[in-house]
Amino acid sequence: MSSDAHRQRSCEGEPILLVVSAPSGAGKTTLCERLRAEFPRIVYSVSCTTRAPRSGEQDGRDYHFLSEAEFLRRVAAGDFLEYACVHGHYYGTLRGPVAVALADGRDVLMDIDVQGATQIRSVIRGAPNEDLLRRAYVDVFIEPPSIDALRARLEKRGQDSPETIARRLTQAIEEMTHRDKYGYIIVNDVLEAAYDRLRAVFLAEHCRTERHQKIRPD
Ligand code: ADP
Ligand code: 5GP
């Protein structure tokens, strides 16, 4: 490790796994992209999905786009840390890259739905205290200011049909019932203000005493 990298790691303590969930259209992609732009050492967990790419999305960067048969093969092989069916398509997080990044001291950012976050919480509940995933876990729920605002954002994004938007809004109401399971809730009203709060969570989590207990002076 270079001395700069070592110094940076010593300041930050152990890595965090930042799990971000939100109803579709609440703004989590926008907020997560800003966090990644400001903190480029964060490893973004690229999920697998069986849904079709949206315009501008790239395989391997935004998602690994898989056929349903390939997705189910990987489920059977135990490759996923968690997976769920969301809006009629499968989505899942590959176990390997997350474990490698955390073991390397890198923060991981994960954009997953409420079912996926529930699965990871149950994995870490059964894990020993020294488990890296358990020590790293931090979760944030991004909430839209209202359902009307959510509808307007989905329409403005212009990526989904009216039927898909209607389905996502119904789903959003259900997803919001899970908000209290998260350690942090951020209402994405004014983007700048919401980003300031996400950034504050990220930085404050790095200052937690328990993330610095294993660091010894040279
Ligand atoms: P998600 O990833 O949660 O589905 P996106 O980040 O794609 O949501 O945001 C949905 C749409 O809402 C995008 O067009 C985005 O530019 C817009 N948006 C995000 N945050 C805000 C905000 N605070 N105010 C207004 N529009 C926003
Ligand atoms: P979208 O199709 O809009 O990109 O994502 C739809 C939903 O799937 C979002 O709530 C997003 O957080 C969720 N999602 C994306 N990747 C994963 C994943 O790997 N696992 C789970 N459980 N949900 C995911």
Side-chain angles (χ1 to χ4, degrees):
M1 196 188 299
S2 76
S3 60
D4 274 357
H6 182 77
R7 204 172 304 119
Q8 185 178 3
R9 188 165 165 177
S10 302
C11 292
E12 293 175 349
E14 289 184 16
I16 66 173
L17 164 60
L18 189 60
V19 169
V20 178
S21 301
S24 183
K28 69 185 166 316
T29 306
T30 308
L31 288 166
C32 288
E33 279 176 359
R34 286 200 57 173
L35 195 71
R36 291 165 65 196
E38 186 174 354
F39 301 98
R41 270 181 54 81
I42 294 175
V43 173
Y44 179 67
S45 167
V46 179
S47 296
C48 296
T49 183
T50 59
R51 84 150 161 75
R54 296 195 182 113
S55 71
E57 285 184 333
Q58 269 178 33
D59 188 38
R61 186 194 65 182
D62 301 289
Y63 281 103
H64 300 292
F65 294 99
L66 304 184
S67 66
E68 194 163 314
E70 176 62 6
F71 192 99
L72 293 175
R73 189 193 66 73
R74 302 199 77 158
V75 170
D79 290 352
F80 291 118
L81 176 61
E82 61 73 36
Y83 74 97
C85 187
V86 190
H87 312 306
H89 301 285
Y90 287 114
Y91 292 82
T93 303
L94 292 170
R95 213 182 268 289
V98 176
V100 168
L102 291 177
D104 198 29
R106 303 281 297 269
D107 295 320
V108 176
L109 177 63
M110 211 180 264
D111 164 351
I112 60 174
D113 88 317
V114 294
Q115 304 171 75
T118 301
Q119 287 174 44
I120 297 182
R121 276 187 219 108
S122 109
V123 168
I124 62 177
R125 249 197 312 275
N129 272 341
E130 60 276 17
D131 180 84
L132 214 48
L133 199 66
R134 175 174 173 154
R135 297 172 70 86
Y137 188 82
V138 177
D139 55 12
V140 177
F141 190 83
I142 311 281
E143 215 176 44
S146 68
I147 291 293
D148 281 348
L150 190 61
R151 181 183 298 106
R153 284 179 198 174
L154 287 169
E155 286 169 358
K156 179 181 141 219
R157 189 166 67 183
Q159 296 273 4
D160 302 301
S161 66
E163 296 74 33
T164 301
I165 290 179
R167 204 168 53 238
R168 286 180 183 237
L169 288 174
T170 307
Q171 185 71 22
I173 293 165
E174 197 283 322
E175 285 167 339
M176 284 198 270
T177 65
H178 296 262
R179 68 200 278 276
D180 295 354
K181 298 176 186 165
Y182 288 74
Y184 297 92
I185 295 172
I186 294 176
V187 178
N188 181 15
D189 40 17
V190 176
L191 185 59
E192 280 304 316
Y195 179 65
D196 282 350
R197 295 191 283 261
L198 181 62
R199 184 178 189 278
V201 167
F202 177 76
L203 292 174
E205 278 291 336
H206 268 296
C207 297
R208 290 187 76 93
T209 307
E210 59 265 31
R211 296 201 199 287
H212 294 265
Q213 283 170 344
K214 286 196 170 171
I215 304 289
R216 301 268 181 277
D218 291 329

